[in-house]
Amino acid sequence: FETTVDGLLCIADYQRRGDMLVMPHTVVPAALRGHGIAARLVRAALEWARTEGLKVEPVCSYVAAYMRRHPDTHTLLAEP
């Protein structure tokens, strides 16, 4: 999942492994941090995972923190 803001690329990276969406990292350039861009990218990825019936493995610390803060995403978490 990606977007370009002010000419800078922002990414919520993922790998699909069967019925699992592994999210290893997010990248938002320093000049754009603090504007909610990563949150919007992660939200879009998680909504897509829900639509596709996928479980999510939040390897990225940001994705893991986002999911902790949003209880509606807990049902998406892959079993450890």
Side-chain angles (χ1 to χ4, degrees), residues 23 26 42 46 56-70 73-74 77:
M23 298 193 68
T26 56
V42 170
L46 296 177
V56 176
E57 183 180 343
V59 176
C60 171
S61 61
Y62 180 85
V63 175
Y66 180 96
M67 292 183 80
R68 277 193 302 276
R69 289 191 314 268
H70 295 87
T73 67
H74 294 178
L77 283 169

Side-chain angles (χ1 to χ4, degrees), residues 12-64:
D13 195 18
Y14 73 93
Q15 300 161 1
R16 185 165 178 176
R17 297 184 188 157
D19 64 351
M20 181 83 59
L21 189 71
V22 179
M23 298 193 68
H25 66 276
T26 56
V27 178
V28 175
L32 299 174
R33 291 187 187 142
H35 297 283
I37 297 167
R40 288 192 298 273
L41 287 169
V42 170
R43 182 173 52 246
L46 296 177
E47 288 172 3
W48 180 74
R50 187 180 308 281
T51 299
E52 294 293 310
L54 304 173
K55 291 296 185 177
V56 176
E57 183 180 343
V59 176
C60 171
S61 61
Y62 180 85
V63 175

